[in-house]
Amino acid sequence: MKLHIALLPGDGIGPEIIQQGRKVIRAVANRFGHELHEREALVGAAAIDATGNPYPDETHRLCMESDAVFFGAIGHPKYDHDPSAKVRPEQGLLAMRQRLGLYANIRPVTTFPSLVRQSPLQSHLVEGADFLCIRELTGGLYFGRPQGRSEDGNTAYDTCVYTRPEIERILRLAYGYALQRRKKLTVVDKANVLATSRLWREIAREIEKEYPDVETEYMFVDNAAMRLIQSPKSFDVMVTENMFGDILTDEASVITGSLGMLPSASIGLHTSVFEPIHGSYPQAAGRNIANPLAAILSAALMFEYAFRLPEEAAAIRQAVAASMENGIVTEDIAPAGSPSYATSQVGDSVCSHI
Ligand code: IPM
Ligand code: MN
């Protein structure tokens, strides 16, 4: 198969982890006989420095022309200390989500046997936890208008907006995943307070009837935050709106023991984007110490969701597991007293298993 991939390394550790992901993608293409076409473009602070725009039109064009986008990370500390900065790298991410129509962000949370003891939660709670968080990504507070300040500057407002088509689309996607898994869907909202959440719940109650094989559970977001920690194994597929999903997925990421392990897929109307959920980790940039496994596992999601090549995806996951079992891991997940390896060594090890 011909695979056209747009590479958007971005900022901080983005370039070095994307480099490891590329090696793994190449190894898979060689083993399975695919023809790779890779092109690189600017995004984030790197794009602001070069063009003044964190998501330049040229980058957008490349994304639109590709079968999938492999994304590193964006964010640079020089913008964090300057809240008045006119353009921020994060705006590039939001613009990309909007322009590519990335309406669903999928974050699988799975535990790795060799990492269970590193979770801040007790092993018996996390062992075997395996669920999908599906976050709506182009609506809600992030994009609702009006947003801003009053003239005197002393009042600020954001608007949470959801329309029926947006809600139906994400719920149907979530049911689709639930059907392929353990057939349980948890709809997370704040319907006891918010009008948008009440619309979510009303629509979910209608759609629920079309999926009699799936058990639908409704949960308020505050309760969901508690249950994630108390009994992560009780979840199969969780679906929620943009801001709740942002918060809950960071929370869910610690269940597995390291933020450095979690991949994500953003399903788009035009093309889909695959990226690790961790950020640009500027303190580690250029030091060859960052954990490349979240990026490598994001490449596995790319083979599965964008190219519909599940065997290739499985080969990557098996190689990651084998490499971890051999102890070839970066310092963030190396057990105390065991040696740790460089970013590039972990990438090489995964490639050798493929
Ligand atoms: C994420 C990030 C982004 C978000 C930021 C960087 C805008 O936290 O992808 O979860 O809030 O969506
Ligand atoms: Mn976030």
Side-chain angles (χ1 to χ4, degrees), residues 259-274:
L259 191 59
M261 294 299 299
L262 283 199
S264 82
S266 296
I267 304 299
L269 299 174
H270 306 294
T271 182
S272 297
V273 175
F274 300 86

Side-chain angles (χ1 to χ4, degrees), residues 244-256:
F244 297 161
D246 179 45
I247 298 166
L248 291 178
T249 51
D250 260 35
E251 185 190 350
S253 72
V254 299
I255 293 170
T256 64

